[in-house]
Amino acid sequence: MRALLQHVARAPAGRRGKWLILAVWLILAVALGPLAGKLGDVEESGPNAFLPRGAESARVNTELEKFRTDTVMPAVVVYTGDGAEATATTDREAFARYVPAGQEVSRPIPSEDGKALMTIVPLDSEDGITDKVDELRAVAGANAPPGVDVEVGGPAGSLADSVAVFDGLDTTLLLATGLVVAVLLLLTYRSPALWLLPLVSVGFAAVLTQVVTYLLAKHAGLPVDPQSAGVLMVLVFGVGTDYALLLIARYREELHRHEDRHEAMRVALRRSGPAILASAATIAVGLSCLAFADINSSRSLGLVGAVGVVCGFLAMVTVLPALLVITGRWVFWPFVPHHGTPARKPRTVWSRVGASVALRPRWSWLASVAVTGVLALSAAGVNMGLTQAEMFQDKPESVVAQERISAHYPSGASDPADIVTRADRTAEVRAAAAAVDGVARVENDTARTPDGELASLSVVLKGAPDSQAAKDTIDALRTAVHQVDSADALVGGTTAEALDTQRAADRDLTTVVPIVLLVVLGVLVLLLRALIAPLLLLATVVLSYVAALGASNLLFEHVLGFAGVDWSIPLMGFVFLVALGIDYNIFLMHRVKEETGRLGHHRGVLEGLTSTGGVITSAGIVLAATFAIFAGLPLVTMAQMGVLVGIGVLLDTFLVRTILVPALALDLGRWFWWPGSLFHTPPTARNTPDNALSPTPQDPTHKVA
């Protein structure tokens, strides 16, 4: 590894190599840039993109494709108020021009209570359906007199509203993330020029990420959906900026020690390279563990995120060092690091924090555990699950339409369950479905595939789609139709999809979490060459995750007003926070290990904390701020993930890494490094510099020495 890092460090830090590296990246950006804009072409937003692979509802969606000789998707228009009947009749004539050939707009269907009317408008799903829904809403709004409320919903309305959520999301997130990172870098460096270099390097990484993701999706089957594509850029900006902060901080230190900036960069890359590599490997492999998940959107987010982390790593250890060496020391102006001057002040806030922790290490880590434990208690009361109506921060029109339907019709009238069965067993399956408690009716119309092998039935449920009552009905319905001999019946639809997703999320949590923990533990053991330290670091990150989940739940309930937590959030949050949280522990402990070899355990811990305190805090704030951008998005799932990851990163930055981990290391002494070489090798006077901190009574290493 050392030989590899030394070889890699020579290129961007070389007198000719720096120009070669920059030229290669510029050529790649120009040549591959057009492909970066094609990522949206390979995004999968079909009915199974967010469903568990192999789920019964996903199989139904696949089977229903065999029935479609056309591409009709219904929009449901709901009218309430005085004068609704005349308005619905007028609209029916206006809606006719949007209906494909061979289809017609239904007559207004009155509700049993006589207070609402419902019109079904079949639309061609392959002919700009979102534009058609917008036009229907414009027509209905223009024709509605005062006192009449009209909403367009149903499957077509829901699709249009969902597309609107992701429309332009990539561009919005990219601009917002870039602005946040630029401001934070400017505040961190207080230099009019230095902040540009990490941003330019992250820009190179973003282009490479989009190109590689596009090529893997097109030619290697990498799953990409709108959600993972949106998260991708935020992850690249956040992680890439973290690596830039770590490298620049170490480069600044070496500029104080070396007159030649090329040599300073070579040393900085050799010293910080293992930590950056271990961090990138941990995050990438941790996210890749989501490949074991059943839910397609989780697999997509994990695999796409891993691609982004790898591309971010490559940019930060090649083009960023090249840019720093090319620009020279002046880029740090007005705080230019001069050769021979002290790298930092003898007393900083982080040295004072370390001294305070060292006075009472056991009390420090006990207090930290108590704080995180109190927050973790709130995780026990998490209300899991969101209905379709609760998935948006601002209620879209399709959700309002569904509420009107639920108030005046059988709740499932606008979005019935689907049954696919063998055509010769249709009558038996229909009878079995009609006998299920919770079924309002089985529609009379029966569709058949062109070959006559399969038939599909629409089943209207009494419960609203996504409600627990409707999910219970789906279970009972599946039990009933599965018992019909030789029918091979399957039950799908919106409610069945919600039920299958909920159960798959539980399975994924119990499958992926142990794999992620084992992978992260393995990386830490390889990096630190110890066992006690990795186990403790992993335990602190898990504790931090549970505390973040509890704190987020308090915000969701009492501040943001969310009805619950989406089923995907615990797993997504765990993977992101364990991977990103261990990131800062890697930065800290890699430096602590280096300093312990020079100064001894006690002094090494304090020196490692002092050296990395500023850069890790800046990195944590940048990463938390980038994920906090999600909190303002209209989709509740993404907002919840942004809040959870942001809180977790801040807990790791200001509590776990600053107090809990150093306190544990100081309290355990050299046992922290068991059974590695640092446990067996006490410091000697030869490896203790004259300006090292003086030994203290709390230092068990010096007692042994």
Side-chain angles (χ1 to χ4, degrees):
M1 179 60 69
R2 286 183 180 178
L4 177 62
L5 288 173
Q6 288 176 358
H7 182 72
V8 171
R10 290 193 192 102
R15 298 184 184 278
R16 287 192 293 258
K18 61 181 183 287
W19 296 107
L20 178 62
I21 291 291
L22 180 59
V24 169
W25 276 97
L26 288 172
I27 292 171
L28 286 175
V30 172
L32 301 179
L35 292 179
K38 294 185 176 182
L39 183 58
D41 297 344
V42 294
E43 291 180 8
E44 175 58 51
S45 56
N48 290 343
F50 296 90
L51 294 180
R53 51 183 173 180
E56 185 167 338
S57 56
R59 291 160 60 197
V60 168
N61 289 333
T62 302
E63 294 295 326
L64 286 176
E65 293 296 326
K66 300 176 181 178
F67 290 81
R68 293 190 175 125
T69 56
D70 53 34
T71 53
V72 170
M73 178 179 287
V76 179
V77 188
V78 187
Y79 300 84
T80 55
D82 296 334
E85 184 173 357
T87 304
T89 302
T90 302
D91 283 351
R92 182 170 182 256
E93 297 176 1
F95 291 158
R97 67 176 181 270
Y98 301 106
V99 174
Q103 301 289 332
E104 65 177 15
V105 181
S106 74
R107 294 183 179 278
I109 304 169
S111 61
E112 292 184 3
D113 60 10
K115 296 181 180 180
L117 291 167
M118 180 171 63
T119 300
I120 300 175
V121 184
L123 300 175
D124 188 342
S125 61
E126 295 185 353
D127 185 24
I129 193 167
T130 56
D131 293 335
K132 291 286 195 306
V133 170
D134 289 340
E135 292 175 19
L136 291 182
R137 287 171 173 169
V139 169
N143 292 340
V148 175
D149 294 321
V150 185
E151 287 84 25
V152 178
S158 296
L159 176 62
D161 290 336
S162 297
V163 169
V165 168
F166 293 104
D167 188 27
L169 178 64
D170 293 352
T171 302
T172 301
L173 283 177
L174 186 61
L175 293 176
T177 304
L179 179 61
V180 167
V181 170
V183 171
L184 291 175
L185 286 175
L186 189 59
L187 293 174
T188 299
Y189 292 127
R190 293 172 292 168
S191 166
L194 181 58
W195 65 276
L196 285 169
L197 301 189
L199 210 58
V200 169
S201 303
V202 171
F204 280 120
V207 172
L208 181 63
T209 298
Q210 290 184 321
V211 170
V212 173
T213 304
Y214 167 75
L215 293 175
L216 290 176
K218 187 173 181 64
H219 302 291
L222 178 70
V224 181
D225 59 52
Q227 177 177 284
S228 62
V231 173
L232 178 61
M233 287 299 98
V234 174
L235 184 63
V236 171
F237 266 80
V239 172
T241 306
D242 279 4
Y243 298 157
L245 288 167
L246 183 66
L247 177 61
I248 292 174
R250 194 60 187 254
Y251 176 53
R252 188 201 294 266
E253 284 187 37
E254 300 304 328
L255 284 173
H256 287 279
R257 300 188 181 106
H258 301 274
E259 186 173 1
D260 183 3
R261 67 181 187 275
H262 299 86
E263 179 62 24
M265 179 55 74
R266 277 192 286 269
V267 175
L269 278 172
R270 286 200 304 269
R271 297 278 176 84
S272 62
I276 297 176
L277 177 60
S279 168
T282 302
I283 299 175
V285 176
L287 291 176
S288 297
C289 291
L290 285 170
F292 295 98
D294 283 336
I295 299 177
N296 288 327
S297 57
S298 298
R299 295 173 57 244
S300 173
L301 186 57
L303 296 174
V304 169
V307 172
V309 170
V310 172
C311 292
F313 165 77
L314 291 175
M316 292 306 113
V317 297
T318 55
V319 70
L320 176 61
L323 289 171
L324 287 167
V325 176
I326 288 170
T327 52
R329 295 174 187 265
W330 71 266
V331 78
F332 289 91
W333 185 87
F335 305 99
V336 179
H338 295 290
H339 174 235
T341 59
R344 61 177 181 272
K345 296 178 181 179
R347 292 285 290 175
T348 66
V349 62
W350 303 110
S351 64
R352 290 192 289 270
V353 169
S356 299
V357 171
L359 286 175
R360 297 180 180 272
R362 185 163 300 173
W363 283 105
S364 297
W365 71 258
L366 285 174
S368 301
V369 170
V371 171
T372 51
V374 169
L375 292 175
L377 291 176
S378 300
V382 173
N383 180 29
M384 295 302 303
L386 295 171
T387 66
Q388 185 68 22
E390 296 164 348
M391 292 294 289
F392 301 91
Q393 298 210 56
D394 296 318
K395 232 180 250 188
E397 187 170 332
S398 59
V399 171
V400 178
Q402 180 56 49
E403 291 177 347
R404 305 276 192 205
I405 293 171
S406 298
H408 301 287
Y409 296 85
S411 295
S414 68
D415 200 356
D418 297 310
I419 298 179
V420 176
T421 181
R422 292 179 61 85
D424 57 355
R425 308 297 290 171
T426 302
E428 292 84 349
V429 170
R430 179 187 294 276
V436 172
D437 187 30
V439 171
R441 65 177 181 273
V442 181
E443 301 288 8
N444 292 326
D445 294 338
T446 302
R448 282 182 167 78
T449 53
D451 61 8
E453 291 292 325
L454 299 176
S456 70
L457 304 171
S458 293
V459 181
V460 177
L461 309 181
K462 294 179 181 178
D466 290 345
S467 67
Q468 188 56 50
K471 292 175 184 176
D472 293 340
T473 303
I474 290 294
D475 271 333
L477 190 59
R478 283 174 169 172
T479 300
V481 301
H482 290 172
Q483 292 176 350
V484 177
D485 291 338
S486 304
D488 298 330
L490 302 171
V491 178
T494 301
T495 304
E497 291 171 359
L499 179 63
D500 290 340
T501 300
Q502 172 184 331
R503 290 176 175 165
D506 288 337
R507 288 195 304 271
D508 288 349
L509 197 62
T510 57
T511 301
V512 176
V513 166
I515 297 174
V516 172
L517 291 176
L518 288 174
V519 166
V520 172
L521 179 63
V523 173
L524 289 174
V525 169
L526 289 174
L527 179 70
L528 301 178
R529 299 294 193 270
L531 186 59
I532 297 296
L535 287 172
L536 287 175
L537 292 177
L538 200 60
T540 61
V541 173
V542 172
L543 178 62
S544 174
Y545 159 72
V546 180
L549 184 60
S552 300
N553 185 50
L554 293 176
L555 284 178
F556 297 158
E557 283 188 18
H558 304 295
V559 178
L560 300 175
F562 297 150
V565 176
D566 187 70
W567 289 102
S568 65
I569 292 302
L571 178 61
M572 294 292 98
F574 178 84
V575 173
F576 271 94
L577 282 180
V578 168
L580 296 174
I582 212 70
D583 194 31
Y584 299 131
N585 280 323
I586 287 175
F587 292 167
L588 170 65
M589 297 313 300
H590 180 265
R591 187 61 180 264
V592 167
K593 182 186 176 186
E594 178 184 333
E595 300 297 341
T596 297
R598 290 195 312 116
L599 307 174
H601 176 73
H602 184 87
R603 298 178 184 179
V605 171
L606 297 181
E607 179 65 16
L609 175 61
T610 303
S611 302
T612 62
V615 63
I616 294 179
T617 300
S618 299
I621 293 173
V622 169
L623 191 61
T626 54
F627 272 91
I629 293 171
F630 287 131
L633 296 180
L635 196 64
V636 169
T637 303
M638 298 187 76
Q640 288 182 340
M641 185 174 69
V643 170
L644 176 59
V645 174
I647 290 177
V649 168
L650 292 178
L651 279 174
D652 278 323
T653 301
F654 289 101
L655 183 63
V656 174
R657 190 270 314 157
T658 303
I659 299 175
L660 179 55
V661 171
L664 283 170
L666 291 171
D667 195 24
L668 286 174
R670 283 190 294 138
W671 280 97
F672 189 73
W673 303 105
W674 184 89
S677 59
L678 290 177
F679 170 73
H680 297 287
T681 307
T684 66
R686 287 175 300 175
N687 61 18
T688 304
D690 295 335
N691 62 348
L693 300 172
S694 58
T696 65
Q698 289 86 4
D699 187 356
T701 300
H702 286 281
K703 288 180 182 178
V704 173

